[in-house]
């Protein structure tokens, strides 16, 4: 199955790549709120400006890259199986970490703050919050950390 790789950018400014089956698949997933920034979880994501990968004219000699230059775009990349295995391992590790954690949805900031202040029993939780609210929690000394992969809310699972 052919895929399209898009450079995406969230409202915070994080740039990341995502693979889709087609432009329509990207649009459908974005509209459904399924495309999220892996760094901050924001679903306010749009396509970033991309430089096209255009090959050099056939009658020109290649220009050697300086020794200190980063690898060129045409350098070998790990095969899809390796990338899939790495993502699966990351997803498994995150799932194991969340096994004893309670999903609190959009009440995350309120629950985390209440636990920190001793107003609620402490325990592992995970959920959703805005970047601004997460920053406020950190400034208040509430221990929070972003998850590397988006979490599908239990009510959205089949």
């Amino acid at each position: 199955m052919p895929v399209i790789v898009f450079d995406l950018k969230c409202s915070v400014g994080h740039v990341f790549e995502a693979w889709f089956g087609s432009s329509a698949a990207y649009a459908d997933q974005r509209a459904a709120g399924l495309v999220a920034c892996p760094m901050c979880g924001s679903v306010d994501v749009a396509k970033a400006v991309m430089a096209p990968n255009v090959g050099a004219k056939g009658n020109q000699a290649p220009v050697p890259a300086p020794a200190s230059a980063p690898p060129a775009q045409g350098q070998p990349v790990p095969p899809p199986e390796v990338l899939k295995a790495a993502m699966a391992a990351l997803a498994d590790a995150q799932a194991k970490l969340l096994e004893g954690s309670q999903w609190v949805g959009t009440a995350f900031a309120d629950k985390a703050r209440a636990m920190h202040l001793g107003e609620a029993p402490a325990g592992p939780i995970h959920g959703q919050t805005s970047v601004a609210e997460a920053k406020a929690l950190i400034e208040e000394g509430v221990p929070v950390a972003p998850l590397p992969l988006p979490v599908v809310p239990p009510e959205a699972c089949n």
Side-chain angles (χ1 to χ4, degrees):
M1 175 170 120
V3 295
I4 298 173
V5 179
F6 289 130
D7 280 344
L8 303 177
K9 186 174 185 179
C10 74
S11 59
V12 177
H14 299 126
V15 177
F16 57 99
E17 282 186 355
W19 297 18
F20 299 92
S22 65
S23 291
Y26 160 75
D28 292 345
Q29 291 179 34
R30 182 175 179 267
L34 299 176
V35 181
C37 174
M39 276 74 81
C40 67
S42 171
V43 293
D44 186 8
V45 173
K47 291 181 187 175
V49 177
M50 293 176 53
N53 186 7
V54 178
K57 289 173 58 177
N59 63 353
Q60 293 181 342
V63 177
S68 62
Q73 206 170 13
Q75 292 296 316
V77 295
E81 303 81 43
V82 172
L83 296 175
K84 285 180 185 178
M87 289 300 292
L90 181 60
D92 286 343
Q94 179 172 296
K96 285 180 183 155
L97 289 172
L98 295 179
E99 280 178 1
S101 179
Q102 178 190 10
W103 170 260
V104 295
T106 56
F108 177 80
D110 293 335
K111 298 246 184 200
R113 188 174 285 115
M115 287 181 194
H116 180 71
L117 297 173
E119 299 168 355
I125 61 170
H126 63 285
Q128 300 171 329
T129 193
S130 68
V131 173
E133 188 66 43
K135 286 180 181 179
L137 288 170
I138 291 167
E139 289 171 3
E140 294 170 29
V142 179
V144 297
L147 294 171
L149 299 173
V151 175
V152 177
E155 65 271 10
C157 293
N158 291 333

